[in-house]
């Protein structure tokens, strides 16, 4: 039972820190240049699930950027970048 509580505590800390890390990297990561670079990579992808996910994430990143939500923009842009590398 003690081990289970330890694992739960570690998971809680990880979930609390992840959004803070995304916001920290968003200031440098969420830019028009990075959005354009990622969009180009998405256009060059083969059609499929990964491309669909990447397109969804880049659209969400653009929306977040326009609304001034830099942390959310950085998180979506990061997900889109990872989707372009997936397949």
């Amino acid at each position: 039972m003690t081990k289970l509580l330890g694992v739960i505590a570690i998971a809680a800390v990880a979930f609390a820190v992840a959004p803070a890390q995304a916001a920290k990297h968003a200031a440098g990561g969420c830019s028009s240049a990075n959005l354009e670079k990622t969009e180009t990579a998405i256009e060059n992808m083969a059609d499929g699930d990964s491309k669909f996910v990447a397109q969804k994430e880049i659209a969400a990143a653009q929306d977040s950027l326009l609304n001034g939500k830099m942390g959310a923009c950085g998180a979506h842009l990061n997900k889109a970048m990872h989707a372009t590398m997936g397949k």
Side-chain angles (χ1 to χ4, degrees), residues 58-81:
I58 201 74
Q62 290 170 337
D63 185 54
S64 296
L65 179 64
L66 292 174
N67 290 315
K69 298 177 181 177
M70 299 306 285
C73 177
H76 288 296
L77 184 58
N78 188 27
K79 289 178 186 177
M81 287 180 188

Side-chain angles (χ1 to χ4, degrees), residues 31-42 58 77 81 84:
S31 66
S32 296
N34 285 342
L35 283 167
E36 186 175 330
K37 182 179 174 184
T38 306
E39 286 175 330
T40 302
I42 293 169
I58 201 74
L77 184 58
M81 287 180 188
T84 63

